[in-house]
């Protein structure tokens, strides 16, 4: 047994002795007893509980808009996350590379500036990022390049993925609608 496990086990025994000296049996202890709470906190989680906790954390991060690789990196669970997404047929929410603020202060998120220009201005999709940036800046738009996840897109802001033919407006975390831009 490792030293840390031995110390945890010793602390658990001490808490159990306190509970039993006060209530005769752990079964008689009320749920709000501080010693019982401490004992529960010390008790190692079962492998099953670890899996439940991991799955809950995967779902929480996924709903926020993190991609599979981001979730795996944050949790240190490369294979587990990928398998979880496949097994539950989860499609991650889009991530965006560009935030475009138009002269009238509308905010757009896009995966590709070229695609954004093609859809919004009917311009050729063959523009490079540099040419697209120049084109948009000439029209007084502000372009911020980065990595933007789903939760960073606020309600009433627009987004455009590479497979969309028109921008859509975010209504809430789970819904969006075609936008009249």
């Amino acid at each position: 047994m490792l030293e840390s496990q031995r110390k945890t086990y010793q602390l658990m025994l001490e808490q159990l002795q306190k509970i039993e000296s006060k209530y005769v049996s752990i079964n008689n202890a009320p749920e709000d007893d501080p010693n019982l709470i401490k004992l529960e906190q010390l008790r190692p989680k079962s492998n099953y509980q670890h899996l439940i906790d991991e799955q809950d954390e995967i779902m929480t991060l996924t709903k926020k808009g993190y991609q599979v690789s981001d979730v795996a990196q944050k949790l240190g669970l490369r294979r587990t996350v990928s398998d979880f997404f496949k097994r539950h047929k989860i499609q991650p929410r889009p991530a965006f590379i560009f935030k475009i603020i138009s002269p009238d202060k509308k905010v757009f998120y896009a995966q590709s500036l070229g695609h954004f220009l093609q859809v919004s201005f009917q311009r050729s999709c063959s523009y490079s990022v540099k040419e697209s940036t120049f084109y948009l800046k000439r029209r007084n738009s502000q372009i911020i390049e980065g990595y933007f996840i789903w939760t960073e897109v606020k309600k009433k802001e627009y987004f455009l993925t590479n497979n969309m033919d028109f921008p859509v407006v975010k209504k809430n975390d789970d819904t969006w609608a075609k936008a009249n831009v």
Side-chain angles (χ1 to χ4, degrees):
M1 188 182 293
L2 296 173
E3 186 62 32
S4 62
Q5 289 175 320
R6 189 174 289 125
K7 285 181 183 178
T8 302
Y9 180 70
Q10 185 62 41
L11 289 170
M12 289 176 67
L13 283 175
E14 289 171 12
Q15 294 304 314
L16 182 60
Q17 288 170 347
K18 288 178 185 177
I19 294 167
E20 288 182 341
S21 69
K22 191 173 182 180
Y23 301 104
V24 180
S25 169
I26 192 170
N27 294 331
N28 298 333
E31 288 185 27
D32 63 347
D33 180 78
N35 294 318
L36 183 62
I37 293 169
K38 178 78 173 172
L39 180 63
E40 285 298 316
Q41 291 170 342
L42 290 168
R43 190 182 71 186
K45 292 182 180 178
S46 68
N47 285 341
Y48 182 72
Q49 186 60 46
H50 278 295
L51 286 174
I52 291 171
D53 291 347
E54 284 175 0
Q55 290 178 358
D56 288 346
E57 190 64 22
I58 290 169
M59 289 307 298
T60 299
L61 293 170
T62 301
K63 285 182 179 180
K64 288 182 178 180
Y66 288 98
Q67 302 299 294
V68 176
S69 58
D70 299 329
V71 174
Q73 184 177 8
K74 282 185 176 298
L75 301 179
L77 305 167
R78 287 235 182 272
R79 182 142 180 102
T80 305
V81 174
S82 177
D83 290 347
F84 183 81
F85 272 64
K86 287 176 188 169
R87 185 173 46 256
H88 295 287
K89 296 177 176 69
I90 296 172
Q91 188 67 8
R93 298 190 184 216
F96 307 97
I97 307 300
F98 300 97
K99 179 178 181 179
I100 302 116
I101 304 170
S102 68
D104 59 353
K105 303 300 179 207
K106 289 182 182 174
V107 178
F108 296 85
Y109 290 86
Q111 294 176 320
S112 158
L113 278 184
H115 185 66
F116 178 78
L117 285 179
Q118 183 181 22
V119 170
S120 301
F121 297 97
Q122 287 72 47
R123 303 302 289 180
S124 169
C125 195
S126 63
Y127 278 30
S128 68
V129 171
K130 185 177 179 179
E131 292 169 322
S132 300
T133 302
F134 180 74
Y135 183 89
L136 289 166
K137 284 186 176 182
R138 275 197 345 233
R139 281 152 187 76
N140 297 320
S141 291
Q142 181 185 357
I143 296 98
I144 302 165
E145 192 170 347
Y147 185 75
F148 306 98
I149 61 171
W150 180 252
T151 54
E152 294 176 86
V153 180
K154 296 179 180 82
K155 287 180 185 178
K156 298 183 182 175
E157 291 183 337
Y158 303 88
F159 65 93
L160 179 70
T161 63
N162 289 341
N163 61 345
M164 295 175 144
D165 296 330
F166 48 83
V168 293
V169 65
K170 184 175 180 181
K171 289 180 149 186
N172 61 41
D173 281 344
D174 294 319
T175 62
W176 51 86
K178 186 175 180 178
N180 295 322
V181 184

